[in-house]
Amino acid sequence: MIIFFGVLTAVFIPILIGWLSLSPFFLKRRMFFWEKVFVSYGLGFGILTLVMFYLSLLEIDFSPAVIVGGSLLVPMVILFFRSWLFPAKANGPSEYKPVASMYTWIEGLLVTFIIIAAGNMVFRTWTMAAEAWDSWAFWGFKAKIFFVEQKVPFAKFADFRNVWGNWDYPQHVPLMGTWIFTWLNTWNDQCSRIIYPLFHCGLAAGVYAFLRRRISRVLSLAAAFFILTLPGLVWTAVGTISEPVLLFYYVLSFVFLLEWEQKEGQGWFILSAIFAGFAVWTKNEGMVYALFNGLVILLTAKQKGFRQIIFDLIVYFLIIGAIIGPWLAQKNILGLENVLINRDILSRVGSVMDMAKRCRVGIDNIAYRIQLISYFNVTGMMFLFVSLINFSKCLRRPYFYFIVNVLCQMVLILVLTVVIPGDMFLYDASPRLLLTAAVIMLIYCAYISGTSAPDSPS
Amino acid sequence: MFLPRHSMRISVFVFFSFVWCGIWLKQLVRIWQDENKYYVFALNSGLNRLRSYSAAYDDSTRDYYPILKYCDRVLPSGEPLQIILPIAPQNKLEFLRDKGRYYLYPRNYGENTLRQKYILVYQQPDFRAPAGYARIKDFGPDKYLLTCDKEFLLRKKGKS
């Protein structure tokens, strides 16, 4: 029971740090309660792990007091510079006013399903002994090392690298585990598993809130339910693999960008950049996802003016750079390279004919995977039919951004299929990369089905 | 009606929603039918029992985690431990090597080619103990702990 309360407080502290950091964004009154909680959770954990990383660079040992103290500096600095960083007008109108109304029976049923799905996922994750390879061999093991060493032991990276790979991965996910161990003052790998389903629930809550500000409650609930029960994503959450964390940061950074695009709220824009930075801090794929967000900003040039967009792009990538820059510099100093994508592999990419053949393999792979009911349920078919029936609408703003995003995801998978030799990527990594596209497809399907009035043409 | 707007657009979404729910319910029932025994086991198990379960490659390796835990408990603090594992099949070697590394860090990095003062031999009947090493604990015919640490041996003799 003591350990249970220990875990609860270990999770509550990042929420508190995130909540305090979020307040200057003026978004709180325009966010749903659970959205605020989960956005704070992700934001707080991001701040916490960055502080742990900086403490390691300064050779300061981890302790709960030092980590929490360091993390609390962030909201304090934001509050101090609040009026300069976030002038009141920068956050756009407060357009959302929740109206309390009775739930219809179908909404009640969906809420019940959501509670069952979330409860089932949390229970299974917590009771499952460490099974998935990535979970314990990469993330769990690194979390243990950082806990034992009481810091990220950069000096030992060369020793580790000689024995096993993936030391170039960003340290956000293992450091979250280390935080739980440090707070509990014991290595309990079962307790740290709770992090992952909470990120998955946070993703569903964030998507619900985004859609609820635009479409009916029943369709928003349905979309949240789909995301919460997307089989592949549930598998990664229960197996404590990093995908729910990556998707939480990336998908929310994408929808925050759409909030900014539609409502001019600078707070959304900054929050989107921070979350895109945390996506890069979670996994290397996040770098490409940040570029996709950059493309969305570019696509708004017609509305906002080219000069303004260039300025926005610079600000966006400066924020991302401030988050991930120190780790990239450290990675460069330590000479860490990815095992799948590195200079050696890139120099061995074959001829145009070889690439075309691999491209064909990649397209077949995507077409086959996306219709796997055991991994994606009916996402692929739903996307296809909804797009066909809304053909005239889907190329207009804001749906157009979703289509562009899905296409970008497909191109990314195709490029990786061409570049990475062998079939390991096809069978292991590509289904997980497709999960990002699947989540975007689900949001799009609910959004376009729930809105009747077309927006401005693109 | 419960739906905000009856149209073809909504109908397609509603149709797929029902299909989705049906598939989800079916998967949920199947998972609980397949795994309910495991959950009963997990709820009635402590951390060590769960780790024993997850550190086992097959039925013959159920004792792997308790042996690792014993070694971790009796060996002098910070002393490295070399683990000699079955070479084949490759999957089993990698699994046991990485689990050993996971549970024994910082005693073991996964690099088991360097000779250490303490050696754990696990399911390797062909292993010949190097000169100067003596068995200090037998866990089974092909599972034992060796050392060349004379002080440790003397302390052990003194205790017995």
Side-chain angles (χ1 to χ4, degrees):
Chain A
M1 205 41 133
I2 292 167
I3 215 141
F4 180 74
F5 282 110
V7 175
L8 276 187
T9 46
V11 168
F12 175 73
I13 285 167
I15 295 176
L16 182 70
I17 292 165
W19 192 281
L20 292 173
S21 308
L22 198 61
S23 57
F25 286 89
F26 296 103
L27 298 170
K28 282 168 70 174
R29 65 198 156 93
R30 292 190 291 127
M31 279 185 165
F32 288 79
F33 175 74
W34 287 110
E35 184 189 21
K36 281 182 228 169
V37 169
F38 283 112
V39 168
S40 301
Y41 173 75
L43 189 64
F45 254 130
I47 293 169
L48 212 67
T49 57
L50 278 179
V51 166
M52 290 166 87
F53 174 68
Y54 288 126
L55 289 174
S56 304
L57 286 177
L58 296 169
E59 299 269 325
I60 298 171
D61 286 353
F62 293 157
S63 75
V66 172
I67 297 169
V68 174
S71 304
L72 282 173
L73 282 178
V74 176
M76 280 162 69
V77 168
I78 296 175
L79 280 170
F80 190 75
F81 292 106
R82 172 183 171 150
S83 55
W84 181 73
L85 281 171
F86 307 103
K89 67 174 178 122
N91 295 286
S94 177
E95 80 301 330
Y96 171 67
K97 286 189 183 107
V99 180
S101 62
M102 284 293 286
Y103 278 64
T104 60
W105 70 268
I106 190 91
E107 287 169 348
L109 186 70
L110 279 170
V111 170
T112 311
F113 278 180
I114 285 171
I115 291 168
I116 291 171
N120 174 55
M121 183 168 60
V122 170
F123 174 79
R124 285 177 61 211
T125 310
W126 209 329
T127 50
M128 193 72 79
E131 291 258 315
W133 191 278
D134 288 20
S135 158
W136 58 269
F138 298 160
W139 311 116
F141 183 45
K142 282 183 186 175
K144 183 183 179 184
I145 291 174
F146 303 162
F147 171 67
V148 171
E149 304 287 342
Q150 293 193 303
K151 62 172 80 69
V152 182
F154 297 113
K156 287 190 174 180
F157 272 36
D159 298 338
F160 299 138
R161 208 166 38 144
N162 290 335
V163 186
W164 59 293
N166 300 319
W167 280 96
D168 66 300
Y169 284 13
Q171 308 299 344
H172 177 52
V173 175
L175 280 172
M176 286 194 292
T178 308
W179 157 251
I180 302 270
F181 304 151
T182 307
W183 181 257
L184 298 175
N185 198 24
T186 180
W187 178 59
N188 188 324
D189 50 348
Q190 210 63 30
C191 286
S192 63
R193 297 174 68 83
I194 195 67
I195 295 167
Y196 299 83
L198 291 184
F199 270 103
H200 191 168
C201 293
L203 174 65
V207 166
Y208 168 80
F210 168 77
L211 289 172
R212 185 67 190 96
R213 283 188 278 268
R214 285 158 182 79
I215 59 172
S216 69
R217 188 160 62 190
V218 65
L219 291 185
S220 309
L221 283 171
F225 169 69
F226 293 160
I227 284 167
L228 212 49
T229 54
L230 186 64
L233 198 53
V234 174
W235 177 77
T236 57
V238 173
T240 61
I241 303 174
S242 58
E243 262 61 27
V245 186
L246 177 69
L247 261 67
F248 170 84
Y249 285 121
Y250 170 60
V251 173
L252 291 197
S253 79
F254 175 68
V255 298
F256 291 160
L257 209 52
L258 297 186
E259 297 274 11
W260 164 76
E261 192 265 340
Q262 291 169 344
K263 287 163 201 155
E264 299 282 332
Q266 209 61 23
W268 292 115
F269 182 79
I270 293 169
L271 203 53
S272 166
I274 292 172
F275 270 41
F278 286 153
V280 190
W281 179 226
T282 302
K283 263 190 125 181
N284 290 332
E285 290 94 305
M287 280 192 211
V288 188
Y289 292 165
L291 291 178
F292 294 168
N293 279 0
L295 183 64
V296 171
I297 298 173
L298 266 181
L299 288 171
T300 62
K302 205 174 168 186
Q303 280 171 292
K304 294 182 193 283
F306 193 69
R307 198 171 278 183
Q308 178 63 40
I309 286 308
I310 295 297
F311 176 75
D312 287 341
L313 266 178
I314 292 170
V315 171
Y316 199 82
F317 283 100
L318 273 179
I319 294 171
I320 294 173
I323 290 171
I324 198 65
W327 164 245
L328 292 181
Q330 185 68 6
K331 201 165 103 167
N332 207 31
I333 292 166
L334 296 170
L336 303 171
E337 271 201 329
N338 193 276
V339 286
L340 286 177
I341 301 169
N342 51 50
R343 271 170 238 160
D344 182 44
I345 298 280
L346 290 176
S347 67
R348 281 190 279 145
V349 174
S351 64
V352 177
M353 279 306 287
D354 290 339
M355 283 161 70
K357 270 185 203 163
R358 293 287 296 169
C359 223
R360 170 82 196 273
V361 173
I363 292 168
D364 289 349
N365 177 48
I366 291 171
Y368 166 71
R369 300 267 167 205
I370 198 69
Q371 51 179 314
L372 281 179
I373 288 192
S374 60
Y375 211 79
F376 295 104
N377 205 322
V378 288
T379 308
M381 274 182 280
M382 195 196 302
F383 179 72
L384 189 70
F385 278 92
V386 168
S387 296
L388 279 176
I389 224 149
N390 292 285
F391 189 70
S392 59
K393 210 169 141 189
C394 69
L395 293 177
R396 293 176 185 182
R397 275 195 193 95
Y399 319 113
F400 173 64
Y401 298 122
F402 291 89
I403 300 288
V404 169
N405 194 306
V406 170
L407 286 176
C408 285
Q409 305 286 345
M410 301 298 172
V411 170
L412 171 67
I413 295 171
L414 282 182
V415 169
L416 291 176
T417 309
V418 170
V419 168
I420 299 170
D423 291 338
M424 201 180 121
F425 169 77
L426 285 178
Y427 300 118
D428 183 32
S430 74
R432 283 192 269 157
L433 276 181
L434 261 179
L435 280 174
T436 317
V439 170
I440 301 287
M441 285 176 188
L442 289 172
I443 304 171
Y444 160 84
C445 288
Y447 190 10
I448 202 166
S449 302
T451 43
S452 49
D455 291 286
S456 60
S458 64
Chain B
M1 280 302 284
F2 58 82
L3 287 172
R5 179 169 163 265
H6 273 290
S7 69
M8 185 72 166
R9 284 167 185 163
I10 290 285
S11 309
V12 170
F13 188 77
V14 170
F15 169 75
F16 279 109
S17 301
F18 278 107
V19 176
W20 187 291
C21 286
I23 292 169
W24 172 67
L25 282 169
K26 197 180 157 195
Q27 285 177 342
L28 191 69
V29 170
R30 206 196 61 223
I31 285 170
W32 277 92
Q33 276 175 345
D34 291 352
E35 297 178 1
N36 63 358
K37 277 184 190 159
Y38 171 77
Y39 295 127
V40 173
F41 159 79
L43 286 175
N44 292 310
S45 301
L47 192 58
N48 285 329
R49 208 161 155 220
L50 279 178
R51 282 182 181 165
S52 297
Y53 177 84
S54 80
Y57 180 81
D58 50 29
D59 282 342
S60 72
T61 51
R62 292 258 175 249
D63 58 354
Y64 189 50
Y65 177 73
I67 291 173
L68 294 179
K69 197 168 186 288
Y70 172 85
C71 295
D72 197 33
R73 194 162 45 84
V74 299
L75 262 57
S77 173
E79 194 64 56
L81 173 71
Q82 184 186 4
I83 310 177
I84 306 294
L85 293 163
I87 299 161
Q90 179 76 12
N91 282 350
K92 183 171 177 176
L93 167 70
E94 284 176 4
F95 180 87
L96 295 177
R97 181 196 65 197
D98 291 359
K99 281 287 181 185
R101 183 179 74 188
Y102 179 64
Y103 288 117
L104 285 181
Y105 181 87
R107 292 188 191 283
N108 187 286
Y109 279 49
E111 170 64 281
N112 288 311
T113 51
L114 290 175
R115 181 68 74 232
Q116 304 291 356
K117 266 190 197 172
Y118 294 87
I119 304 173
L120 171 67
V121 181
Y122 189 81
Q123 291 192 348
Q124 180 53 281
D126 302 331
F127 182 75
R128 288 192 178 191
Y133 280 78
R135 283 190 192 204
I136 48 174
K137 178 77 180 173
D138 275 316
F139 304 104
D142 55 356
K143 301 167 188 174
Y144 47 89
L145 183 63
L146 295 168
T147 187
C148 64
D149 186 349
K150 282 175 187 153
E151 275 182 37
F152 187 90
L153 287 169
L154 283 172
R155 269 203 313 273
K156 205 164 165 29
K157 261 187 187 172
K159 269 186 191 173
S160 60

